[in-house]
């Protein structure tokens, strides 16, 4: 009897040892990935593994506009102009441009730029790419204003817009305006399976549900990247991304949880980088609602929110005060604090009483079913409770939230908006053009704002445009159809020997320029 | 026997029709417009109408369902909304990873759980018995995402023995498989123990012992084989759950299987993909049940006689 028990226990231990300790020696090469210094530590690491939180959907830039996909796409394709990490326009595939008149811009293309398939980039490709973008309903929202793309000669292209568009250059920096190889896109039925651009990295492989592998493009016009293999690995859980950094499975991990910052910073083998993003979080009021249509009510609500506490509670301090404008500090015409609402409960109560609600009222707050929204909704509920407003939180999945707020079923809602140009931000938030799904979920309409937006878009005088944007920001700061709360920080954790990595406020960090070691 | 199998396979048809109808109805009734998710924050009404037409969302509910079933009968589960690739391509690219994970978890659960259960039964109320019942209790009560994170922190982050995430060869299978097996291991241990305890008290075991058989022969040939039926049932069911229900484990370990795909699909309201995944899960579950029933016959001649 004892013998059998002992035998069985041995079996158990052997079985668990087999399953548990696997083959520590057997498969060691498969997982070493990036950081194991091969051999005697002599070889230079030229393989970079990046952990991303969302699975990319497409590597063709012109199917659907999504940050998750563009974080990979942006490495494969170049655009005519690009934004650097400080949000300045830099010539890329276009060496220079002339503004011919209010609706026409002429681009002089860089010569001798090669696509990954060996073809040379010409005006044909530019025309083809932009027209391909305009024809694709998933990405064309910003480009419908382009009426013609004309080829002047092999290296000169003219873009004509149906109306004056002073922010055209900014829109051309977005990934949807990527320049694709016409020959490749026309010859293959599935460009998404074999994308060809002229960016610093070329597409190698993408297994469904698995990693995406890119390789340095040796003929890149600005010189080949020292990173020869670039791998994007989807790791949805933020704690798993941190651990993958710690174990050295990945070199760079995007979007770490604020709770992990201290761990990463304390680790001598790792470092962090943060920057202010172009994403602004706000609480909006449906101004079609009989109570919320009253400006004093909205101002009272603004006075009831302690933004510093809100940022601490919701973002763990990982954001900065939005200073009562939806524009992020990077945007042309950024005008903070034109009207301010100090945290002042007494004043808020007085305003509410003046508006005819001395005892407050009840209203709904629509939020999505995700952590940041949950934290924010509790903080907002508490802020409103102080002045007698009872907030009922309605939490729902993303699809339901988008539909409900587009249809105006809500009273209050909490949301964010990312933008890289003033027109698309202010137009989406405050214009009659974008009521509902296009962005204006407060249903706030002031004809004067629409006129000023059009005028700012039409003028070639950037000072005048800035002035107009400032006036708009002043009007909406006073009316507060929505109250901007926080500008989110972006962060990335990386191995200490990863150098010159830059964070881009638009979230699609551009890897070219990054290197390992000296 | 063949007639029995054939009959069972025919029963798949109403099951699949029922499952697809329920899922189709739920996906249609839940609020949220897939087109909006498809197009993002900013789009024009024309784009919305165009995509809506392309996806066939403008037809009435029953027409859409009928069309779906008509195509599904020809093996076409449609294209996903999000990637536009065929649903079958998306699912079968990830299914092997899930099967591998579920298989490894089941292997681990049986390899550890059964011996533990047998020892516990043979030596009832001994230290081994109490210890293994404690393990079983822990295995059932611990949420597996938590266990997964703890294993990652200990064995991947601190000791660096295993990779923390992804599917990069055998080593990366170990942690998710252990995590996923915790629950089944516990169930199998308890099942084996109680089933063995019952058998061990039977007269024929006493007879076997009385005629002087070695204890190992008594335990393994006479007791265990008769105790197998409930053990197989629970192991099979656990395997079925692992095939479809590894959602949390797959997410924690970034395992590229169908559990994670299902979560993404539900978030995106990608109806064709959700339907396809649920159908695949329903088929696997039914097939596993059938295999269990066939295994009964193998272990118990009385059951075999009934199948004729």
């Amino acid at each position: 009897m004892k013998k059998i028990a002992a035998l069985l226990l041995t079996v158990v231990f052997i079985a668990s040892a087999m399953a548990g300790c696997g083959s520590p020696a057997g498969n060691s090469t498969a997982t070493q990935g990036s950081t194991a210094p091969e051999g005697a530590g002599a070889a230079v690491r030229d393989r970079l593994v990046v952990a991303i939180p969302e699975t990319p959907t497409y590597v063709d830039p012109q199917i659907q506009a999504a940050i998750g996909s563009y974080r990979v796409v942006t490495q494969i394709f170049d655009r005519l102009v690009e934004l650097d990490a400080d949000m300045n326009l830099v010539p890329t595939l276009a060496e220079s441009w002339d503004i011919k008149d209010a609706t026409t811009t002429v681009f002089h293309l860089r010569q001798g730029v090669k696509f990954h398939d060996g073809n040379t980039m010409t005006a044909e490709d530019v025309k083809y790419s932009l027209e391909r973008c305009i024809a694709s309903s998933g990405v064309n929202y910003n480009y419908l204003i382009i009426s013609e793309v004309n080829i002047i000669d092999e290296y000169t292209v003219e873009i004509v817009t149906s109306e004056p568009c002073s922010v055209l250059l900014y829109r051309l920096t977005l990934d949807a305006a990527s320049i694709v190889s016409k020959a490749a896109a026309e010859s293959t039925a599935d460009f998404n399976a074999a994308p060809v651009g002229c960016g610093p990295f070329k597409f190698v492989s993408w297994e469904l549900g698995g990693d995406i592998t890119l390789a340095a493009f040796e003929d890149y016009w600005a010189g080949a990247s020292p990173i020869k293999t670039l791998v994007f690995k989807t790791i949805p859980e933020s704690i798993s991304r941190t651990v993958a950094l710690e174990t050295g499975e990945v070199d760079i991990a995007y979007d770490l949880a604020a709770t992990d910052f201290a761990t990463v910073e304390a680790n001598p083998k790792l470092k962090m980088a943060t920057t202010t993003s172009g994403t602004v979080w706000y609480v909006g009021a449906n101004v079609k609602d009989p109570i919320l249509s009253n400006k004093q009510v909205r101002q009272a609500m603004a006075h009831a929110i302690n933004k510093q506490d809100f940022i601490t509670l919701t973002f763990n301090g990982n954001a900065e005060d939005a200073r009562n404008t939806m524009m992020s500090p990077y945007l042309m015409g950024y005008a903070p604090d034109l009207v301010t609402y100090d945290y002042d409960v007494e004043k808020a109560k007085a305003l509410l009483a003046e508006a005819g609600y001395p005892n407050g009222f009840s209203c709904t707050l629509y939020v999505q079913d995700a952590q940041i929204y949950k934290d924010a909704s509790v903080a907002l509920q508490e802020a409103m409770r102080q002045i007698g407003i009872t907030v009922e939180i309605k939490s729902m999945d993303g699809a339901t939230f988008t539909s409900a707020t587009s249809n105006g079923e809500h009273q209050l809602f909490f949301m964010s908006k990312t933008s890289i140009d003033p027109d698309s931000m202010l137009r989406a938030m405050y214009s009659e053009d974008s009521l509902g799904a296009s962005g204006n979920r407060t249903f706030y309409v002031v004809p004067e704002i629409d006129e000023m937006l059009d005028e700012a878009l039409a003028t070639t005088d950037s000072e005048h445009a800035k002035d107009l944007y400032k006036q708009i920001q002043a009007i909406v700061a006073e009316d507060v159809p929505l109250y901007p709360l926080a500008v989110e920080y972006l962060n990335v954790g990386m191995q200490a020997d990863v150098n010159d990595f830059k964070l881009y406020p638009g979230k699609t960090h551009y890897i070219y320029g990054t290197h390992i070691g000296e | 026997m063949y007639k029995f199998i054939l009959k069972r396979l025919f029963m798949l048809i109403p099951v699949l029709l029922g499952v697809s109808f329920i899922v189709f109805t739920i996906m249609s009734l839940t609020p949220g417009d897939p087109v909006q998710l498809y197009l993002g924050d900013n789009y024009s009404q024309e784009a919305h109408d165009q995509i809506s037409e392309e996806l066939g969302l403008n037809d009435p509910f029953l027409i859409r369902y009928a069309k779906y079933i008509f195509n599904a009968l020809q093996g076409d589960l449609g294209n996903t909304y999000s990637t536009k690739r065929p649903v079958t391509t998306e699912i079968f690219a990830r299914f092997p990873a899930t099967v591998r994970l579920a298989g490894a978890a089941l292997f681990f659960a049986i390899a550890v759980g059964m011996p533990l259960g047998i020892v516990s039964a043979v030596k009832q109320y001994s230290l081994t018995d109490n210890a293994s019942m404690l393990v079983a209790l822990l295995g059932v009560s611990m949420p597996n995402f938590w266990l997964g994170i703890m294993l990652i922190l200990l064995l991947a982050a601190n000791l660096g023995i295993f990779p923390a995430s992804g599917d990069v060869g055998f080593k990366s299978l170990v942690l998710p498989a252990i995590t996923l097996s915790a629950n089944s291991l516990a169930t199998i241990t308890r099942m084996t123990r109680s089933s063995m305890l019952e058998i061990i008290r039977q007269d024929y075991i006493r007879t076997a012992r009385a005629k002087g058989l070695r204890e190992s022969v008594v335990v393994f040939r006479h007791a265990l084989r008769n105790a197998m039926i409930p053990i197989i049932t629970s192991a099979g069911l656990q395997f079925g759950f692992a095939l479809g229900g590894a959602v949390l484990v797959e997410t924690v370990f970034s395992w590229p299987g169908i559990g994670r795909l299902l979560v993404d699909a539900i978030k995106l309201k990608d109806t064709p993909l959700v339907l396809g995944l649920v159908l695949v899960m329903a088929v696997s579950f039914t097939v596993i049940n059938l295999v269990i029933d066939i295994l009964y016959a193998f272990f118990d001649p009385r059951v075999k006689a009934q199948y004729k």
Side-chain angles (χ1 to χ4, degrees):
Chain A
M1 198 73 169
K2 265 192 181 150
K3 255 163 78 186
I4 288 167
L7 185 80
L8 285 174
L9 274 176
T10 321
V11 171
V12 172
F13 283 125
I14 292 175
S16 49
M18 266 168 53
C21 310
S23 53
N27 206 353
S28 55
T29 48
T31 53
Q32 296 217 328
S34 49
T35 50
E38 310 266 325
V44 178
R45 284 206 293 139
D46 59 4
R47 180 170 191 256
L48 190 83
V49 182
V50 180
I52 46 177
E54 293 164 311
T55 315
T57 320
Y58 299 104
V59 282
D60 178 339
Q62 287 157 350
I63 300 180
Q64 183 190 27
I67 297 287
S69 301
Y70 283 168
R71 285 181 154 177
V72 175
V73 164
T74 202
Q75 325 296 342
I76 305 175
F77 298 90
D78 273 358
R79 277 79 64 198
L80 289 178
V81 266
E82 282 170 20
L83 288 172
D84 67 11
D86 301 317
M87 298 287 272
N88 300 311
L89 284 170
V90 284
T92 309
L93 295 180
E95 263 181 330
S96 63
W97 51 87
D98 314 315
I99 296 173
K100 203 162 134 191
D101 58 53
T103 56
T104 314
T105 312
V106 178
F107 292 87
H108 304 284
L109 304 182
R110 194 176 294 279
Q111 302 198 2
V113 173
K114 294 274 187 214
F115 279 112
H116 303 158
D117 60 1
N119 290 321
T120 305
M121 184 209 58
T122 65
E124 279 287 340
D125 297 293
V126 174
K127 179 178 163 69
Y128 175 80
S129 302
L130 295 178
E131 286 175 349
R132 186 172 186 264
C133 164
I134 295 164
S136 166
S137 57
V139 295
N140 64 8
Y141 185 77
N142 278 318
Y143 306 95
L144 294 170
I145 198 165
I146 297 177
S147 54
E148 284 169 48
V149 181
N150 299 319
I151 297 173
I152 308 292
D153 62 42
E154 205 180 353
Y155 291 105
T156 315
V157 179
E158 178 186 80
I159 298 182
V160 184
T161 52
S162 53
E163 285 161 54
C165 181
S166 62
V167 295
L168 177 69
L169 287 171
Y170 286 96
R171 296 197 177 165
L172 292 176
T173 67
L174 296 171
D175 292 282
S178 289
I179 304 304
V180 305
S181 161
K182 182 184 179 186
E186 277 186 339
S187 65
T188 165
D190 190 4
F191 189 65
N192 188 45
V196 177
C198 49
F201 293 94
K202 56 185 181 188
F203 179 78
V204 176
S205 67
W206 181 16
E207 278 172 42
L208 275 183
D211 301 345
I212 299 184
T213 306
L214 309 179
F217 177 44
E218 295 300 329
D219 293 330
Y220 186 54
W221 60 268
S225 167
I227 304 292
K228 296 305 171 198
T229 309
L230 177 59
V231 178
F232 285 92
K233 197 180 176 75
T234 308
I235 305 184
E237 283 292 302
S238 65
I239 184 165
S240 305
R241 288 196 294 282
T242 306
V243 171
L245 263 186
E246 290 176 325
T247 59
E249 280 163 60
V250 304
D251 298 290
I252 299 180
Y254 289 0
D255 306 342
L256 299 181
T259 42
D260 290 340
F261 289 0
T263 321
V264 173
E265 273 160 2
N267 188 331
K269 287 192 293 186
L270 305 176
K271 61 184 177 185
M272 296 236 10
T274 55
T275 189
T276 309
S277 73
T279 302
V280 182
W281 290 87
Y282 62 94
V283 55
N286 182 349
V287 303
K288 282 186 171 168
D289 180 81
I291 304 173
L292 299 175
S293 62
N294 188 328
K295 184 165 93 180
Q296 280 174 319
V297 171
R298 300 194 300 262
Q299 289 175 334
M301 290 174 149
H303 276 298
I305 300 171
N306 181 339
K307 281 193 280 186
Q308 281 316 319
D309 284 358
F310 178 83
I311 288 169
T312 311
L313 281 170
T314 310
F315 296 92
N316 224 320
N318 191 28
E320 65 187 36
D321 185 347
R323 302 179 64 186
N324 204 10
T325 175
M326 281 303 288
M327 304 261 276
S328 75
Y330 295 103
L331 300 189
M332 176 183 85
Y334 170 66
D337 295 331
L338 293 173
V339 178
T340 53
Y341 298 99
D342 311 325
Y343 172 56
D344 187 341
V345 176
E346 290 315 310
K347 197 167 178 186
K349 282 181 180 165
L351 275 166
L352 261 193
E354 236 176 273
Y357 302 97
N359 301 317
F361 53 88
S362 299
C363 68
T364 56
L365 169 66
Y366 277 47
V367 291
Q368 290 191 35
D369 187 14
Q371 198 57 44
I372 202 164
Y373 293 89
K374 287 180 196 161
D375 294 342
S377 58
V378 174
L380 290 171
Q381 189 180 40
E382 176 57 24
M384 294 304 130
R385 194 193 55 78
Q386 298 175 89
I387 58 168
I389 300 175
T390 311
V391 171
E392 185 198 346
I393 298 167
K394 295 213 167 187
S395 178
M396 55 204 84
D397 67 88
T400 315
F401 178 82
T402 319
S403 304
T405 52
S406 301
N407 301 333
E409 294 162 22
H410 57 293
Q411 286 180 292
L412 296 176
F413 66 108
F414 179 68
M415 210 175 172
S416 72
K417 168 79 184 164
T418 306
S419 184
I420 54 140
D421 76 73
D423 181 72
S424 63
M425 177 58 97
L426 296 176
R427 195 174 290 272
M429 292 292 104
Y430 304 111
S431 165
E432 191 172 2
D433 300 345
S434 47
L435 288 177
S438 309
N440 186 349
R441 293 173 157 86
T442 63
F443 300 94
Y444 165 83
V445 176
V446 176
E448 199 189 346
I449 290 181
D450 282 295
E451 283 162 25
M452 283 196 279
L453 278 172
D454 291 340
E455 195 184 331
L457 205 52
T459 182
T460 47
D461 174 1
S462 66
E463 285 310 311
H464 183 48
K466 276 184 196 169
D467 190 51
L468 288 163
Y469 290 135
K470 190 176 166 185
Q471 288 179 41
I472 295 170
Q473 288 172 80
I475 297 172
V476 299
E478 168 73 19
D479 285 352
V480 280
L482 57 88
Y483 189 44
L485 294 170
V487 188
E488 193 185 333
Y489 288 154
L490 280 178
N491 71 74
V492 158
M494 59 194 122
Q495 302 294 336
D497 62 351
V498 173
N499 289 319
D500 293 332
F501 176 86
K502 291 201 181 74
L503 287 130
Y504 285 69
K507 295 187 177 175
T508 54
H509 316 304
Y510 197 52
I511 303 283
Y512 182 72
T514 303
H515 56 97
I516 300 172
E518 281 313 304
Chain B
M1 191 75 180
Y2 295 112
K3 222 172 123 189
F4 168 77
I5 296 177
L6 216 62
K7 211 166 87 189
R8 286 291 297 269
L9 286 177
F10 265 116
M11 271 168 62
L12 255 180
I13 298 170
V15 168
L16 292 183
L17 275 177
V19 164
S20 64
F21 186 76
I22 291 170
V23 177
F24 204 92
T25 312
I26 292 174
M27 291 299 283
S28 306
L29 287 180
T30 46
D33 177 0
V35 180
Q36 289 191 338
L37 283 169
Y38 183 92
L39 290 171
D41 276 353
N42 291 326
Y43 56 82
S44 56
Q45 190 56 42
E46 297 82 66
H48 184 281
D49 296 345
Q50 186 199 333
I51 300 289
S52 195
E53 189 60 43
E54 266 175 38
L55 300 180
L57 294 169
N58 296 336
D59 294 333
F61 171 74
L62 281 175
I63 305 267
R64 273 186 290 143
Y65 180 66
K67 273 186 185 166
Y68 180 81
I69 292 298
F70 182 73
N71 290 329
L73 285 176
Q74 301 165 53
D76 174 15
L77 294 178
N79 290 352
T80 70
Y81 290 165
S82 54
T83 63
K84 291 185 186 160
R85 274 187 286 260
V87 167
T88 41
T89 313
E90 291 282 350
I91 294 177
F92 289 107
R94 292 168 177 85
F95 200 50
T98 295
V99 172
R100 214 148 17 97
L101 179 58
L106 183 73
F107 172 78
F108 184 72
I110 291 177
V112 179
M114 265 184 48
L116 271 185
I118 296 171
V119 175
S120 302
V122 173
K123 302 221 148 205
Q124 204 185 357
Y125 305 129
S126 67
L127 186 65
T128 326
D129 181 26
N130 289 333
S132 69
M133 282 307 101
L134 183 69
V135 170
L137 188 67
L138 283 177
V140 174
S141 352
M142 250 187 305
N144 59 13
F145 63 89
W146 181 82
L147 175 64
I149 291 174
M150 290 303 122
L151 286 176
I152 289 178
L153 288 180
L154 181 68
L155 295 175
N158 288 346
L159 299 176
I161 304 174
F162 298 107
S165 59
D167 177 15
V168 282
F170 179 73
K171 257 180 123 179
S172 62
L173 182 61
V174 175
L175 293 187
I178 292 180
T179 310
L180 185 59
S181 74
N183 208 309
S184 353
L185 192 153
T187 315
I188 289 174
T189 309
R190 292 190 68 100
M191 236 358 148
T192 310
R193 179 177 180 270
S194 61
S195 173
M196 281 291 281
L197 277 177
E198 203 178 298
I199 301 290
I200 273 177
R201 299 203 169 92
Q202 299 284 334
D203 287 345
Y204 60 84
I205 297 293
R206 200 180 314 138
T207 312
R209 283 198 179 127
K211 68 182 185 184
L213 286 180
R214 268 183 294 127
E215 185 66 16
S216 59
V217 177
V218 174
V219 171
F220 288 106
R221 195 174 301 161
H222 293 258
L224 183 60
R225 191 164 169 196
N226 283 300
M228 276 310 274
I229 289 206
I231 302 174
I232 294 171
T233 313
S234 75
L237 288 178
Q238 295 293 336
F239 187 62
F241 284 126
L243 276 185
V247 175
L248 292 173
V249 176
E250 286 188 0
T251 306
V252 169
F253 287 96
S254 313
W255 190 261
I258 59 172
R260 227 176 83 196
L261 186 63
L262 179 64
V263 176
D264 288 345
I266 292 173
K267 274 192 201 151
L268 289 173
K269 219 171 156 30
D270 197 334
T271 311
L273 188 53
V274 174
L275 271 167
L277 283 164
V278 173
L279 288 182
V280 167
M281 288 170 187
V283 170
S284 349
F285 217 98
T286 322
V287 169
I288 287 167
N289 269 331
L290 179 59
V291 173
I292 296 172
D293 284 347
I294 295 169
L295 281 177
Y296 284 170
F298 176 75
F299 282 100
D300 192 340
R302 288 170 299 182
V303 177
K304 196 173 184 178
Q306 284 175 13
Y307 287 172
K308 292 241 165 88

